[in-house]
Each structure stands twice: as C-alpha cells, then as structure tokens.
Amino acid sequence: MPKNSLLVLGLMSGTSADGIEAALVRISGAPPKLNSKLLGHASLPMPKPIRAAILRIAEGTPVPAAEISQLNFRLGELFADAAIATCKKLSVPVKSLDLIASHGQTVFHQGEPVSFLGAPTSSTMQIGEPSVIAARTGVTTIADFRPADMAAGGQGAPLVPFADYLLYRHEKFGRVSLNLGGIANVTVIPAHAKPEQVFAFDTGPANILIDALVSHFSKGRNRFDAGARIASRGESLVPLLEKLLVDPYLCLKPPKSTGREYFGRTFVQEILSEGRKLSARPEDLIRTATIFTALSVVDALNRFVFPHTKISQLIVSGGGARNPLLMGQLEAALVPIELLTSEKFHVPEQSKEAYAFALLAYETFHHRPSNLPSATGATRPAILGKISYA
C-alpha cells in the first residue's frame, strides 16, 4: 500500500442484532483506482439484554424517549469496546487507527415517504453514539451514513453497492452480489459496468424470519438454525409457502428497501398463526421460512434482474451463506449461474458489510460521495456520514 494509505476499522451490527462485526482495512487511492486490503476481522456477540432492548424498539414496541436515548449511548460504549477488543485480537494498537467507521444499529427505517403530520416523510435511525466511540478510542469516527442519501431523495439503502462495485466489477461478465444478513439484498453489476449502471435493492427477508422462529421455539435459548439442522428435519408447507410468495413487497419495483419494520414480529406472528391452522411442527415452519427466503431471492432476480442483465456469477455473503439448505436451494434454482461466496474474493462472509462501511468512511474523510443513486434512488451523489473527532 502507498504511504498515504489509511487504516480504517469498520463496525457493523445488522438487522438480527446478534453481534458486532469488525473489519480492519488498509485503504489508499481514489475511485476507480481505490485500493483496499482486509488485514483482519472479528465477530463479537451482542449481550442478550442489549439485544432484547434493540429488538423491542425495532419491532415497534412503544418505549419512552429516555430508553432510546440511553440505548444510543450504551451502544456507543459497546461499539467502542468492540473496536478496542478487535485491535487487541489483531495485535494492532488502537492509536494506529486513522478512522473508525460505524454503521450503528438500525432501529427504524422508512425508505419510502409516508404521510406524517401533514407531509410525506421518510426517515431512518441508526443508534450507537459515535461521539462516545471517538472519545473512548481516541480515533476519529464516521457514522450515520444513511440520512445524507435520504436527504437527496434516496431510500438510504442499500449503501454496500459502492463496495460491491469496487470489489466485484468484471470486464467480461456480469455479477450479482447477494448479502444474506437479516434482510437479503442484491447488487447487480453488469459486465464492464460504469457506476451509474449498477443497481441494487432489498429482495426481502434472509435470516430474520428463520432466526425469529428458532428463538421462538427454543424460548430464546438458540438464535439461529446452525447448519440448517432443524430445517433439514422438516417438510415444506406448500399452502403457507404459496401465501408468502405473493407478499406485496416482493412485487414492488426497485429501488426498494425494507427491514424489521415489515418482516419483524407481526410478520412472524402471522406465520405462526398459519402454522397452527396447518398443525405444523416447528421444523416445518423453519424449513418453510428457509425455502421462502431462497425463493424470494430467486423471484426478485427473475423479475428485476435477468430480463435486463446477463449474469454469470452470484457472490454470496452474510450469515445465510453458511446455511446449506438456503445455499442449495439457490444453486438449484439458478443453474447455470455459478454460485460463489465472498470468501473466494478474500472477504469473509460475515465481515463484508463492515468492510464496506470502512470504504464509505474513507470516501467521506476525503470529501467524496459514495452513494450510488442508481441503487438508492437518490437524485444526486451525496457525501455520507457524520464525523465525530476524538
């Protein structure tokens, strides 16, 4: 790396709120010749009481403003602890960091404007106070990336396509980057693409429904279906699957984004209600949710991608890349497209989004825009994030 490179630590907590992912990245240059290298990564579990508080707010449970304020600062401390712990694990002095990039924890996201107090309004909220992170670590921290895109008319999501374009663009064939976190999202990168040709959107749920059902049936003892072992014992419930596959969100044209507000507690309760009518076993519902996740991704690709763009490879990241049933369904439904994981590109599945936000922070530090209006629907490029100096 050139001498003018920066050492950036990206921090990410996703829709599932089950942990903080950290990625240490050395970055130099500027697009289209931006150079980056992942030096190390770490995954730190979210403490159960804090996760419960996050989910309570994110799922729309009425809470006092005081609780949101307190959680914002408590999460700031937790993200700072995660940054320090990651540096210790990787034997890197915290003071050697040039920047910390923190996506924060989304507790609300309304990408499309809705009527509010007499005017159409969209909004988003990510908490995890960056001033606290900067103060505790002594490192300049950039956070709260989504609002600038929304102020420019975008949905504030997805933002990872900027990194996908830099990582995966190919001269000769088209690729789709699929991230299977809590929510599934795709970035479509045509062969020899220019930035304005890239488009992206949230296809629907990924792990959010599977995890919620596992947690429900295990009474909170388990958070996810490791190795798809539970789903593999079940049978798909065709009537429920057919009902899920006509959900209105799947038909919406991109750009579009979603989250726990839509595919959260109420949606899961409807699945449980349908399961009771069908006398379904827990493993049947978990399998059906897994198959639904795969088929909703395939449906989105067939509706909005394949008619317009020739795709040769699907590159998968996120926790869902470790679910063999989910991956098997995708591979079978998408023949002859080659299915790869981000590991093939030296980016571990779990740390891809943290890596991406490190790149976004680097661009913000250099006063350069890093949203892709073709992905978010914004009317113009925007410099993302807010800077908290140490």
Side-chain angles (χ1 to χ4, degrees):
M1 284 287 181
K3 292 181 180 178
N4 62 348
S5 64
L6 295 184
L7 190 60
V8 186
L9 183 69
L11 300 173
M12 174 74 193
S13 178
T15 310
S16 297
D18 53 4
I20 300 171
E21 302 299 327
L24 184 65
V25 189
R26 176 71 71 179
I27 313 172
S28 67
K33 295 183 179 180
L34 189 148
N35 303 300
S36 65
K37 182 179 180 180
L38 180 67
L39 302 181
H41 62 96
S43 181
L44 301 99
M46 188 73 73
K48 286 186 178 180
I50 294 179
R51 181 174 188 261
I54 292 168
L55 297 185
R56 189 163 56 246
I57 294 169
E59 290 173 348
T61 301
V63 297
E67 184 170 343
I68 299 174
S69 178
Q70 290 287 87
L71 185 58
N72 177 42
F73 274 71
R74 181 68 187 87
L75 279 173
E77 299 281 358
L78 197 64
F79 282 120
D81 290 344
I84 293 167
T86 299
C87 287
K88 183 177 180 180
K89 175 190 174 184
L90 301 177
S91 300
V92 172
V94 177
K95 63 182 180 181
S96 70
L97 297 177
D98 295 295
L99 293 173
I100 290 175
S102 176
H103 170 265
Q105 176 65 58
T106 300
V107 293
F108 183 77
H109 184 78
Q110 176 64 52
E112 282 282 356
V114 296
S115 180
F116 179 73
L117 298 179
T121 305
S122 57
S123 69
T124 190
M125 178 176 282
Q126 284 74 45
I127 60 175
E129 182 53 50
S131 296
V132 173
I133 301 172
R136 297 294 176 267
T137 61
V139 179
T140 296
T141 299
I142 301 178
D144 210 15
F145 293 88
R146 300 193 187 279
D149 179 82
M150 297 183 77
Q155 295 208 6
L159 297 182
V160 172
F162 175 80
D164 288 332
Y165 176 72
L166 294 173
L167 289 169
Y168 302 139
R169 178 185 180 274
H170 195 278
E171 286 292 318
K172 295 184 179 180
F173 50 82
R175 288 169 165 166
V176 169
S177 172
L178 168 65
N179 185 69
L180 295 171
I183 297 297
N185 50 69
V186 293
T187 302
V188 183
I189 312 161
H192 193 60
K194 298 177 180 178
E196 60 270 19
Q197 294 174 302
V198 176
F199 65 100
F201 58 97
D202 291 348
T203 65
N207 300 313
I208 189 170
L209 301 180
I210 304 166
D211 293 354
L213 290 169
V214 170
S215 179
H216 170 80
F217 289 120
S218 70
K219 294 181 167 45
R221 290 190 301 273
N222 299 314
R223 294 184 179 182
F224 60 95
D225 184 12
R229 287 193 290 270
I230 302 172
S232 296
R233 299 197 304 266
E235 298 179 1
S236 294
L237 303 166
V238 175
L240 175 57
L241 193 56
E242 290 176 344
K243 184 172 183 178
L244 292 172
L245 286 169
V246 295
D247 185 84
Y249 180 81
L250 305 187
C251 303
L252 292 177
K253 293 181 179 180
K256 59 179 180 176
S257 57
T258 189
R260 190 171 290 278
E261 302 76 23
Y262 191 94
F263 290 107
R265 182 176 56 185
T266 300
F267 200 95
V268 172
Q269 288 300 322
E270 291 174 1
I271 291 176
L272 290 170
S273 176
E274 290 296 318
R276 286 190 288 271
K277 293 177 186 176
L278 296 169
S279 301
R281 300 171 301 166
E283 54 265 39
D284 298 335
L285 286 176
I286 293 168
R287 183 183 184 88
T288 302
T290 305
I291 302 300
F292 169 54
T293 292
L295 293 184
S296 63
V297 171
V298 172
D299 177 71
L301 294 174
N302 283 323
R303 282 180 194 260
F304 306 121
V305 178
F306 297 155
H308 314 290
T309 309
K310 181 175 174 55
I311 298 299
S312 300
Q313 292 181 330
L314 182 74
I315 304 166
V316 188
S317 60
R322 299 180 180 180
N323 184 312
L325 177 60
L326 180 51
M327 292 291 284
Q329 289 290 316
L330 287 171
E331 188 167 27
L334 294 173
V335 172
I337 292 171
E338 184 180 13
L339 209 69
L340 303 169
T341 69
S342 60
E343 291 273 5
K344 298 289 185 182
F345 298 83
H346 309 292
V347 181
E349 295 103 331
Q350 290 290 84
S351 64
K352 212 289 283 293
E353 288 189 294
Y355 188 121
F357 279 94
L359 295 176
L360 297 181
Y362 175 87
E363 289 299 281
T364 299
F365 184 77
H366 288 92
H367 308 112
R368 293 192 292 258
S370 55
N371 65 328
L372 293 182
S374 57
T376 66
T379 58
R380 58 175 174 80
I383 298 173
L384 306 178
K386 299 163 187 173
I387 302 178
S388 297
Y389 294 101

